[in-house]
């Protein structure tokens, strides 16, 4: 017969524990909430009341419900208070010896039939379980941060966890309104195994001054639709916790260098910069525990200040190319008030691009996003040409031709001959080194990457790629142009994948490896990332949309440039591409799209 859970215990009321108490109490369970000292108990109480008060203020919880919720929680110091609970979940810091000590103690204190659960993110549940005399009643219940908000729970069963314990915990998760995925005991489970390599890579980028914290975070939010950037997420998780998780994953997960914590993390933890909980991490917060970021010495100047910073005046813009990106970019510039000269390889192509721009602008009118007058004015600003010579007097050229280095280099050599001095020459390449293109001209200081995202009229992000020869003036001009286009321009160095692809594709590749290793299913991995981390799409959904061939090509580039063994394309990805399973565009990728 299934167990009845009436009273549960939570040990440790930090970032996770306080949220877990809230989840239980909100769903009608009585909770014994335990901390190590009166001071820590008080902190936990303050976190819980703060969170429930915010829920009331937002209209998500009635005052009476909040009062009932708080009345269900019994705050206590010391594990002895847990003698009558049906299940206890431990959420103390991520140290194996500490957790083992607590489990040995829980085994002594709790009823013989009680389930003992850990919220560990990376430690072995099996190793924790052997500290008790009832390893078959020990299980992982891994909540996500913030626990009251995130829908996912990873239920981790060890080789000795009883089937009835797993079933009862799954039923409990359902009662809590959570979606659970049940998996075996492996470092990082699903979500963290895919998340932490990415987070650590982002810290490495920041540490190497490849881009600013604001730009790294904006790139991932705006380029991938993630709810938070990686550095803001690190602050939310807690840098001490993140360090321990990475360190354990490195040691337990085959010593993948990508999980070796970035040196900066250790320094920050040592210096007491733990993230939101200490009031300062990658960002500075109003006070410890507050989610509100306040300006500090690293906060960049407002965009207006950057404009004054040596940017050249741009009025006339040439766009070279006739594909999807060129078409979108022409529209973006024309709508923002620039005079645009579109150059294609023939009148027929120009007519096609013109038609596409008109169709897109008309859609804007139908959707009420653009007036007819503005549409006509935007169209009136575009000149159609099939001759590069017409770019002699433009102020900026944006190249968006085929992704082949020889073609781009030849084009830039021609632009160098045709364009007047002082023109900014930009390439939209997503994978080629911008410096190669720049060196095809006699003016590499004026060359920069402007990496727009598809569809350009909609996606708010542009990566501004500076080579080691790009001048400050060129960079300032690019930033000013992006601001005028209404886009967020993030500045980064000239490395394979820039910010977004360099952080995104290895994660997708890791998901393929996880599937290949049969650790979980494509559906559960997609759920884990969507419901555990708030991603708009799971990795397999995204791979099928992007195209497996495109993803493989990007991953190969990253691997070739950075020589990071962990970036080697997953064999399964290569096999699917060889088999012609390219994703939605071919009807089949990780999923069959012909039957949907
Ligand atoms: N932070 C996250 O985003 C996150 C997400 C999922 C899981 N986890 C996991 O949850 C666990 C807790 O992490 P956290 O981020 O909440 O840590 P935290 O440092 O914010 O909180 C830990 C709490 O445990 C208390 N504690 C320490 N020793 C204790 C003891 N002997 N008895 C009772 N309480 C004790 C501390 O006083 C502190 O309040 C870790 O295993 C972590 O890996 C964390």
């Amino acid at each position: 017969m299934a167990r009845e859970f009436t009273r549960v215990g939570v040990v440790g009321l930090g970032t996770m524990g306080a949220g877990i108490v809230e989840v239980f109490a909100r769903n009608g369970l009585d909770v014994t909430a335990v901390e190590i000292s009166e001071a820590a108990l008080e902190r936990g109480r303050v976190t819980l009341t703060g969170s429930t008060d915010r829920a009331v203020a937002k209209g998500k919880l009635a005052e009476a419900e909040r009062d009932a919720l708080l009345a269900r929680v019994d705050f206590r110091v010391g594990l002895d208070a847990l003698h009558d609970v049906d299940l206890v979940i431990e959420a103390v810091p991520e140290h194996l010896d500490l957790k083992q000590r607590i489990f040995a103690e829980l085994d002594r204190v709790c009823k013989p039939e009680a389930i003992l659960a850990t919220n560990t993110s990376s430690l072995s549940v099996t190793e924790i379980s052997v500290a008790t005399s009832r390893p078959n009643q020990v299980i992982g219940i891994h909540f996500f941060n913030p626990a009251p908000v995130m829908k996912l729970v990873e239920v981790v069963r060890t080789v000795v966890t009883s089937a009835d314990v797993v079933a009862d915990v799954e039923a409990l998760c359902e009662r809590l309104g959570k979606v659970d995925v049940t998996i075996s005991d492996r470092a990082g489970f699903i979500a963290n195994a895919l998340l932490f390599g990415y987070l650590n890579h982002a810290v490495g980028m920041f540490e190497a001054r490849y881009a600013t914290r604001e730009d790294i975070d904006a790139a991932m939010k705006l380029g991938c639709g993630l709810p938070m950037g990686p550095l803001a997420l690190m602050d939310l998780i807690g840098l001490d916790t993140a360090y321990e998780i990475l360190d354990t994953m490195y040691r337990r997960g085959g010593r993948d260098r990508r999980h070796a914590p970035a040196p900066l993390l250790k320094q920050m933890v040592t210096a007491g910069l733990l993230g939101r909980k200490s009031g300062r991490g990658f960002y500075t917060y109003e006070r410890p525990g507050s989610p509100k970021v306040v300006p500090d010495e690293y906060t960049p100047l407002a965009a207006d200040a950057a404009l004054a910073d040596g940017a050249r005046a741009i009025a006339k813009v040439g766009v070279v190319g006739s594909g999807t990106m060129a078409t979108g970019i022409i529209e973006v510039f024309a709508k923002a008030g620039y005079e645009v000269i579109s150059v294609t390889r023939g009148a027929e192509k120009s007519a096609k691009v013109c038609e596409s721009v008109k169709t897109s602008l008309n859609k804007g009118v139908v959707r009420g996003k653009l007036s007819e007058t503005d549409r006509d004015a935007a169209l009136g600003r575009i000149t159609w040409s099939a001759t590069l010579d017409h770019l002699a007097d433009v102020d900026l050229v944006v190249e968006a031709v085929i992704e082949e280095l020889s073609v781009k280099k030849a084009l830039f050599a021609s632009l160098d001959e045709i364009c007047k001095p002082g023109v900014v020459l930009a390439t939209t390449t997503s994978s080629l080194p911008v410096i190669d293109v720049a060196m095809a001209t006699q003016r590499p200081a004026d060359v920069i990457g402007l990496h727009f995202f598809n569809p350009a009229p909609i996606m708010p992000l542009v990566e501004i790629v500076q080579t080691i020869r790009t001048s400050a003036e060129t960079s300032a001009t690019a930033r000013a142009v992006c601001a005028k286009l209404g886009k967020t321009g993030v500045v980064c160095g000239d490395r394979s994948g820039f910010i977004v692809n360099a952080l995104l594709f290895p994660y997708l590749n890791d998901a393929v490896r996880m599937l290949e290793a049969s650790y979980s299913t494509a559906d559960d991995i997609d759920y884990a990332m969507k419901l555990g981390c708030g991603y708009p799409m799971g990795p397999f959904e995204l791979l099928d949309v992007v195209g497996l061939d495109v993803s493989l090509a990007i991953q190969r580039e990253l691997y070739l440039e950075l020589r990071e063994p962990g970036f080697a394309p997953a064999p399964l990805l290569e096999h699917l591409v060889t088999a012609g399973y390219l994703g939605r565009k071919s009807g089949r990728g990780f999923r069959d799209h012909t039957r949907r």
Side-chain angles (χ1 to χ4, degrees), residues 267-315:
Q267 292 161 28
M268 291 176 77
V269 171
T270 309
L273 309 180
L274 306 183
R276 277 190 198 182
K277 61 182 161 191
S278 71
R280 183 149 184 188
F282 288 101
Y283 296 91
T284 303
Y285 299 85
E286 201 170 30
R287 63 191 133 69
S290 161
K292 191 164 176 231
V293 173
V294 294
D296 58 21
E297 66 268 39
Y298 300 113
T299 304
L301 301 173
D304 293 351
L307 301 192
D309 194 17
R312 293 178 202 150
I314 305 283

Side-chain angles (χ1 to χ4, degrees), residues 188-205:
F189 314 127
I190 298 178
N192 285 351
L194 297 181
L195 186 68
F196 272 79
Y198 146 71
L199 293 177
N200 201 35
H201 190 178
V203 175
M205 275 185 177

Side-chain angles (χ1 to χ4, degrees), residues 200-273:
N200 201 35
H201 190 178
V203 175
M205 275 185 177
F206 173 71
E207 187 170 22
R209 296 172 194 265
Y210 178 65
T212 64
R213 60 184 186 188
E214 283 81 5
D215 282 0
I216 293 171
D217 280 350
M220 295 314 286
K221 271 170 70 175
L222 303 178
C224 305
L226 304 187
M228 315 179 86
L231 301 176
L233 178 56
M234 278 296 223
D235 277 357
L236 174 69
I237 291 169
L239 302 194
D240 49 346
T241 302
Y243 178 88
E244 292 302 333
I245 293 174
L246 279 164
D247 193 47
T248 312
M249 284 179 50
Y250 174 74
R251 283 186 283 105
R252 279 186 72 205
R255 300 192 179 260
D256 184 336
R257 282 199 324 214
R258 293 175 304 154
H259 295 142
L264 177 65
L265 268 181
K266 179 79 180 179
Q267 292 161 28
M268 291 176 77
V269 171
T270 309
L273 309 180

Side-chain angles (χ1 to χ4, degrees), residues 10-18 20 34-37 40-41 43-44 78-79 90-95 98-99 101-102 118-123 141-146 192 196 233-234 236-238 240-242 244-245 274 277:
V10 176
V11 183
L13 307 179
T15 309
M16 289 310 292
I20 296 170
V34 169
E35 259 293 354
I36 194 166
S37 64
L41 197 63
R43 266 201 313 274
L79 298 175
E90 158 281 312
V92 304
E94 192 78 342
H95 298 293
L98 172 65
K99 293 200 192 251
R101 252 188 291 127
I102 286 186
T118 171
N119 184 49
T120 182
S121 309
S122 59
L123 295 168
I141 306 183
H142 184 231
F143 283 87
F144 287 77
N145 189 0
N192 285 351
F196 272 79
L233 178 56
M234 278 296 223
L236 174 69
I237 291 169
D240 49 346
T241 302
E244 292 302 333
I245 293 174
L274 306 183
K277 61 182 161 191

Side-chain angles (χ1 to χ4, degrees), residues 62 234 289 299 371 505 519:
M234 278 296 223
T299 304
S371 72
F505 282 88
Y519 180 60

Side-chain angles (χ1 to χ4, degrees), residues 13 139 460 524:
L13 307 179
I139 193 164
D524 277 0

